[in-house]
């Protein structure tokens, strides 16, 4: 099956998670807002001063100058967070700091720098006789932040479906919310297979290798912000595997397995699919590495995506096939792979016949991409260390230096 068709098929099979849960603001970054966020208050909730100075009636000060200062009586002093209870009349003002509410009667603020202010002396509020000289006046509503200047009660601040980030959490916090209603994260089960595969940390025995796939997949899920993940290993026994999947089915929105999808005697996933009465979506996608991907659906709603056991095939399939499914399940467009075009710096050692995905290093400043040195076998792990992108070499391309190629950023 063509890659695009496989992606479309899988996205159609995914059942988006629309359950809603509340999360504290500090943990909401990366989550998808489930309901429109409406303002419950005007913002700011009161007219406020944008600077340190004096709340005045603009009309009293408008003709003030260095030569002809206007002198006003200071009724009092307020800091941000305080409220002046009185009213400002003709010839009066209130000393106030940035963020303080502009008192009733006043309609403009004079900058402290445009007065004769000295701490504890002229222009400070030291008692009922305190006065300030104003050298430069303000028109009414100059230096005046209106109540509701930012937004009004009832305005929609963030739409349902918005992916939350720091900026947007600031908006929510500013509107007084300490938790948000977001879509529940999809629950994902990852199962690696292979009788030869043992958990890292154990002693290496003859014929065995360590399980890297489980950690590639779980790690990549974590990179993308998915934390509701369970992972395990299973021997090459179709009955045990079917049992694991049957259990996982109860709690999962997606099951990802690795290994056992080729044509060997221990490629158990075909048998497992039959035992579980899964509806087959496809087996084999036209790409390299990781062609023998098998996908099926359980009970019309749970996709099971069975990847090759080859570590690089797993990595490539994750980016190309799993990410679109995660995007559909989580209703989060941020999960989509970021792609761009790059210019090949060197010849690809592999090309032709089939669409290939090579390990690459992309330099953003120059838009150049290097196919990494080292083994390009699908079972090789070490050459993935410097890899920051996949490079697509189309089947009809020679993968030569200078060609423009599509890049999938990791
Ligand atoms: P399979 O797709 O099961 O035939 O496995 C293909 C190759 O990948 C074999 O050489 C396996 O030993 C290797 N392999 C399978 N699963 C893993 C795993 N979890 N971690 C590392 N290598 C694996
Ligand atoms: Mg195997």
């Amino acid at each position: 099956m063509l890659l695009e068709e496989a992606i479309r098929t899988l996205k159609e099979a995914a059942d988006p998670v629309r359950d809603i849960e509340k999360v504290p603001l500090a943990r909401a970054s990366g989550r998808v807002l489930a309901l429109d966020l409406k303002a419950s208050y005007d913002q700011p909730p009161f007219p406020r001063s944008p600077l340190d100075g004096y709340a005045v009636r603009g009309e009293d000060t408008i003709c003030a100058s260095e030569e002809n200062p206007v002198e006003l009586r200071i009724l009092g002093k307020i800091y941000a967070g305080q409220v002046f209870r009185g009213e400002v009349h003709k010839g009066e003002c209130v000393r106030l700091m940035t963020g303080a509410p502009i008192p009733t009667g006043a309609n403009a603020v004079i900058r402290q720098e445009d007065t004769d202010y000295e701490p504890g002396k002229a222009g400070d509020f030291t008692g009922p006789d305190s006065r300030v000289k104003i050298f430069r006046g303000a028109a009414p509503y100059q230096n005046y932040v209106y109540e509701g200047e930012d937004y009004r009660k009832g305005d929609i601040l963030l739409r349902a479906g918005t992916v939350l980030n720091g900026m947007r959490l600031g908006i929510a916090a500013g509107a007084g919310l300490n938790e948000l209603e977001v879509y529940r994260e999809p629950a994902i089960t990852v199962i690696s297979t292979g009788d030869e595969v043992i958990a890292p940390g154990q002693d290496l025995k003859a014929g065995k290798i360590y399980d890297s796939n489980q950690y590639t997949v779980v790690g990549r899920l974590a990179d993308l912000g998915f934390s509701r993940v369970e992972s395990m290993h299973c021997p090459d026994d179709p009955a045990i595997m079917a049992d694991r999947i049957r259990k996982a089915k109860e709690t999962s929105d997606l099951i990802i397995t690795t290994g056992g999808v080729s044509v060997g005697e221990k490629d158990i996933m075909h048998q497992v699919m039959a035992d579980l009465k899964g509806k087959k979506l496809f087996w084999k996608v036209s790409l390299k590495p990781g062609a023998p991907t098998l996908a099926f659906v359980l009970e019309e709603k749970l996709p099971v995506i069975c990847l090759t056991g080859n570590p690089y095939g797993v990595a490539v399939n994750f980016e190309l096939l799993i990410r679109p499914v995660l995007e559909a399940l989580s209703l989060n467009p941020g999960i989509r792979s970021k792609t761009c075009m790059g210019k090949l710096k060197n010849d690809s050692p592999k090309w032709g016949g089939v669409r290939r995905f090579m390990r690459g290093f992309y330099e953003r400043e120059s838009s150049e991409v290097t196919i990494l040195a080292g083994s390009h076998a699908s079972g090789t792990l070490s050459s993935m260390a410097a890899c920051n992108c996949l490079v697509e070499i189309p089947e009809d391309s020679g993968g030569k230096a200078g060609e423009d190629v599509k890049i999938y950023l990791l």
Side-chain angles (χ1 to χ4, degrees):
M1 183 180 274
L2 279 178
L3 179 58
E4 281 70 19
E5 202 185 333
I7 292 170
R8 188 163 41 74
T9 308
L10 284 175
K11 286 182 91 161
E12 276 168 20
D15 189 19
V17 178
R18 293 184 194 279
D19 306 341
I20 295 176
E21 65 183 16
K22 278 191 181 167
V23 289
L25 219 47
R27 287 204 282 107
S29 184
R31 304 295 296 273
V32 181
L33 192 64
L35 304 171
D36 286 349
L37 191 155
K38 274 201 190 132
S40 310
Y41 309 93
D42 290 346
Q43 173 68 10
F46 49 83
R48 71 180 174 203
S49 174
L51 39 84
D52 301 311
Y54 300 85
V56 301
R57 296 168 5 116
E59 49 274 41
D60 292 355
T61 69
I62 194 107
C63 53
S65 66
E66 295 272 348
E67 299 74 39
N68 288 307
V70 168
E71 195 171 274
L72 299 176
R73 196 160 80 81
I74 309 173
L75 301 177
K77 170 154 78 174
I78 52 169
Y79 300 104
Q82 299 180 329
V83 175
F84 184 76
R85 298 286 167 202
E87 197 171 321
V88 176
H89 300 99
K90 190 171 167 49
E92 297 173 340
C93 68
V94 169
R95 172 149 174 80
L96 82 185
M97 311 301 150
T98 306
I102 295 180
T104 312
N107 60 13
V109 175
I110 303 290
R111 297 193 322 153
Q112 174 179 306
E113 294 87 329
D114 293 334
T115 69
D116 65 347
Y117 169 78
E118 276 185 73
K121 296 187 182 158
D124 208 350
F125 180 71
T126 49
D129 297 329
S130 305
R131 293 185 172 267
V132 63
K133 280 204 182 83
I134 291 169
F135 302 123
R136 189 203 257 186
Y141 301 103
Q142 200 175 334
N143 301 331
Y144 183 100
V145 180
Y146 287 88
E147 169 179 351
E149 180 186 90
D150 189 349
Y151 52 79
R152 291 281 181 193
K153 178 177 174 176
D155 285 356
I156 293 179
L157 303 179
L158 296 171
R159 297 258 171 211
T162 299
V163 181
L164 297 166
N165 60 18
M167 299 278 189
R168 293 163 182 165
L169 294 185
I171 294 173
L177 291 145
N178 65 348
E179 51 184 20
L180 288 172
E181 289 178 294
V182 298
Y183 291 124
R184 165 176 76 70
E185 271 185 42
I188 302 157
T189 301
V190 179
I191 312 175
S192 63
T193 67
D195 287 342
E196 77 282 30
V197 168
I198 59 170
Q202 294 190 333
D203 287 338
L204 194 57
K205 300 213 176 65
K208 306 288 183 187
I209 56 166
Y210 289 119
D211 185 351
S212 66
N213 290 337
Q214 197 184 135
Y215 295 89
T216 303
V217 175
V218 170
R220 226 36 210 122
L221 289 169
D223 292 347
L224 298 177
F226 295 99
S227 62
R228 222 176 164 128
V229 177
E230 280 216 56
S231 71
M232 62 199 82
H233 172 259
C234 181
D236 286 328
D237 179 322
I240 300 179
M241 187 59 167
D243 225 44
R244 298 260 156 100
I245 294 184
R246 235 176 253 122
K247 276 208 192 80
K249 187 177 67 151
E250 300 311 315
T251 54
S252 308
D253 302 294
L254 173 66
I255 298 175
I256 303 168
T257 72
T258 66
V261 287
S262 200
V263 294
E265 288 175 32
K266 285 287 186 180
D267 287 326
I268 58 168
M269 293 313 297
H270 308 280
Q271 180 64 43
V272 170
M273 174 177 68
D275 290 355
L276 293 169
K277 301 199 169 41
K279 189 179 109 197
K280 183 164 152 184
L281 297 174
F282 58 80
W283 178 41
K284 292 186 177 169
V285 183
S286 328
L287 86 166
K288 259 189 171 174
T293 303
L294 169 71
F296 59 91
V297 179
L298 293 177
E299 293 168 8
E300 304 289 322
K301 62 176 179 20
L302 174 63
V304 183
I305 308 177
C306 312
L307 309 179
T308 169
N310 279 309
Y312 184 53
V314 168
V316 166
N317 270 274
F318 186 93
E319 299 307 312
L320 298 175
L321 287 175
I322 305 284
R323 276 175 80 149
V325 180
L326 294 170
E327 178 190 347
L329 280 175
S330 61
L331 297 158
N332 182 347
I335 301 304
R336 195 172 308 161
S337 290
K338 315 256 175 313
T339 62
C340 63
M341 296 303 285
K343 198 167 276 302
L344 261 187
K345 244 176 150 173
N346 54 352
D347 292 347
S348 173
K350 290 186 171 184
W351 49 271
V354 64
R355 209 159 160 185
R356 291 168 191 276
F357 292 86
M358 307 294 290
R359 302 157 175 90
F361 183 76
Y362 174 69
E363 292 158 87
R364 203 205 298 231
E365 292 72 25
S366 61
S367 298
E368 286 175 319
V369 61
T370 309
I371 308 258
L372 292 169
S375 166
H376 288 279
S378 58
T380 307
L381 281 163
S382 57
S383 50
M384 286 199 248
C387 178
N388 70 1
C389 70
L390 304 181
V391 183
E392 179 170 354
I393 309 291
E395 56 182 303
D396 57 357
S397 143
K400 293 280 176 237
E403 276 180 24
D404 290 320
V405 285
K406 187 172 177 186
I407 309 290
Y408 292 73
L409 296 167
L410 296 183

